[in-house]
């Protein structure tokens, strides 16, 4: 069941990545809602996969590379949804979702067995510490995507080439605010 949920989440993230790349080259914002719906469905399925893994393992499923990269991708999607909700930057998915898909794809390559935690790590605080550490790393991954957006927008402004992607990207001021906050 866990494998099916993981593969299904991977499929939804792949579909969302394709739509997000299409979003860059398309005029208008018609696919933004579809992108959020597909990513949301993938996120819910991914969450179920992680919850089932948690109950199978008895601890937060991050002991192996498969679980760790899957959990990291999940954390990136959380940060993505937070920023999408707060700033309503629809093209953000075009720079974040490919990272999520590549992490999930790499996660699918690693062995999926559940390894027990070392007795030293079996603590209540382990889950709290790891969750916050992964969320912090996810924020850095999202900042990477936003930094790419910033560099592209800055290039368009400095070269006075104000067509194409320039109108889809948020202003440098908004990107600056997101990166700093």
């Amino acid at each position: 069941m866990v494998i099916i949920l993981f593969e299904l989440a991977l499929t939804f993230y792949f579909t969302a990545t394709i739509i997000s790349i299409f979003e860059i080259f398309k005029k208008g914002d018609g696919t933004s809602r579809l992108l959020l719906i597909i990513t949301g469905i993938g996120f819910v399925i991914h969450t179920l996969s992680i919850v089932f893994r948690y109950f199978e393992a008895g601890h937060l499923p991050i002991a192996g590379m498969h679980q760790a990269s899957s959990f990291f991708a999940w954390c990136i999607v959380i940060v993505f949804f937070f920023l999408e909700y707060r700033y309503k930057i629809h093209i953000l998915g075009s720079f974040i979702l490919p990272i999520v898909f590549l992490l999930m794809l790499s996660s699918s390559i690693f062995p999926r067995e559940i390894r027990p935690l070392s007795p030293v790590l079996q603590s209540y605080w382990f889950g709290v510490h790891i969750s916050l550490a992964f969320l912090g790393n996810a924020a850095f991954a999202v900042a990477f995507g936003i930094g790419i957006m910033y560099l592209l927008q800055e290039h368009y402004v400095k070269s006075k080439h104000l067509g194409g992607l320039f109108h889809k990207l948020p202003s440098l001021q908004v990107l600056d605010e997101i990166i700093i906050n």
Side-chain angles (χ1 to χ4, degrees):
M1 178 70 162
V2 174
I3 293 173
I4 293 170
L5 289 173
F6 176 83
E7 297 295 332
L8 209 56
L10 177 63
T11 304
F12 274 98
Y13 288 148
F14 173 70
T15 306
T17 299
I18 296 300
I19 292 171
S20 71
I21 292 170
F22 181 68
E23 180 92 9
I24 291 175
F25 301 107
K26 183 182 113 4
K27 293 184 179 179
D29 281 339
T31 56
S32 298
R33 185 171 168 83
L34 178 64
L35 173 70
L36 290 175
I37 289 169
I38 290 176
T39 306
I41 293 170
F43 178 74
V44 168
I45 293 169
H46 195 182
T47 302
L48 288 173
S49 170
I50 289 172
V51 167
F52 284 144
R53 275 248 187 218
Y54 175 82
F55 286 118
E56 264 184 54
H59 58 80
L60 194 61
I62 48 88
M65 283 301 292
H66 167 74
Q67 295 122 355
S69 52
S70 172
F71 189 71
F72 185 46
W74 184 78
C75 289
I76 291 174
V77 175
I78 288 176
V79 175
F80 163 70
F81 277 132
F82 171 75
L83 291 175
E84 180 65 35
Y85 174 76
R86 182 158 182 210
Y87 294 101
K88 309 275 189 274
I89 300 172
H90 301 301
I91 198 164
L92 183 62
S94 301
F95 294 87
I96 304 303
L97 292 175
I99 296 170
V100 171
F101 172 68
L102 289 174
L103 274 168
M104 288 290 286
L105 189 62
S106 68
S107 177
S108 69
I109 295 169
F110 295 115
R112 298 178 185 198
E113 79 271 356
I114 297 175
R115 288 195 251 155
L117 282 178
S118 166
V120 174
L121 300 176
Q122 293 175 355
S123 163
Y124 168 76
W125 291 106
F126 177 73
V128 173
H129 172 77
I130 292 300
S131 297
L132 293 176
F134 271 82
L135 278 172
N137 288 332
F140 278 120
V142 171
F144 167 75
I146 294 169
I148 298 294
M149 291 171 63
Y150 185 93
L151 291 173
L152 285 171
Q153 188 70 309
E154 185 180 46
H155 170 73
Y156 286 130
V157 169
K158 284 186 176 180
S159 68
K160 295 181 179 37
H161 177 70
L162 305 180
L165 196 56
F166 172 79
H167 296 293
K168 289 186 172 265
L169 293 172
S171 70
L172 291 174
Q173 182 181 1
V174 170
L175 291 172
D176 219 11
E177 178 186 331
I178 294 171
I179 290 173
I180 290 173
N181 292 333

